[in-house]
Amino acid sequence: MKQFTLLRVSSEPLATRGVILVDGAPICVTLELPWKDNQAQISCIPEGIYDASWYLSPTHGETILFQNVLGRSLIMFHSANTPDQLKGCVAPGCEFGIMDDQPAVFKSKLAMGKLKAAMYGERQFKIEVKNAR
């Protein structure tokens, strides 16, 4: 079984930036909302190890859904560029940048494809979410 890690590397007032590692190798960068005590739709999720699975979202198409997030639901990886396009979810990207005066990730659909390819063949898996120390 592959080891999936979302390693958060910085937290700013508008966003949290990170990197997805698969078996220790970086696959893509990530953008999330800042930490606001796990409040629904305005905060990233807490550190922890989460079950995850494929999910067909009516809005975002095929995504990866986090399960068992305390007090939260429908937290997923999906294509997005800026924090205002997220409601607690995680946006993969190929690189960090700035868009509309806010932190951003670019080439999100391409990064989502890389993430899906890395997870290909895995029906259900675990994702560890942790902050860099």
Side-chain angles (χ1 to χ4, degrees):
M1 178 190 254
K2 294 179 184 176
Q3 180 179 349
F4 300 99
T5 305
L6 190 168
L7 180 63
R8 293 174 173 152
V9 296
S10 72
S11 184
E12 305 161 21
L14 295 177
T16 299
R17 297 175 194 249
V19 62
I20 294 290
L21 305 170
V22 178
D23 293 334
I27 298 298
C28 60
V29 298
T30 63
L31 188 72
E32 300 174 81
L33 293 171
W35 175 250
K36 293 188 178 178
D37 296 319
N38 196 34
Q39 295 178 66
Q41 300 195 9
I42 64 168
S43 177
C44 59
I45 63 174
E47 289 183 283
I49 298 175
Y50 298 96
D51 292 324
S53 62
W54 298 102
Y55 174 69
L56 187 57
S57 163
T59 308
H60 303 289
E62 187 177 45
T63 65
I64 298 160
L65 180 70
F66 287 84
Q67 299 166 353
N68 68 311
V69 179
L70 186 63
R72 306 282 290 278
S73 62
L74 294 176
I75 305 298
M76 59 190 113
F77 285 100
H78 66 75
S79 296
N81 297 110
T82 56
D84 62 355
Q85 298 171 329
L86 301 170
K87 303 250 189 248
C89 296
V90 181
C94 292
E95 58 190 71
F96 294 118
I98 300 292
M99 179 184 287
D100 299 328
D101 295 323
Q102 56 184 325
V105 290
F106 297 118
K107 301 179 185 169
S108 188
K109 288 182 181 179
L110 177 62
M112 190 70 198
K114 289 181 179 184
L115 188 55
K116 288 178 184 178
M119 294 179 171
Y120 181 78
E122 305 284 332
R123 292 188 65 108
Q124 290 204 332
F125 33 91
K126 295 192 180 292
I127 299 174
E128 181 177 12
V129 177
K130 65 182 183 178
N131 297 331
R133 304 281 183 234

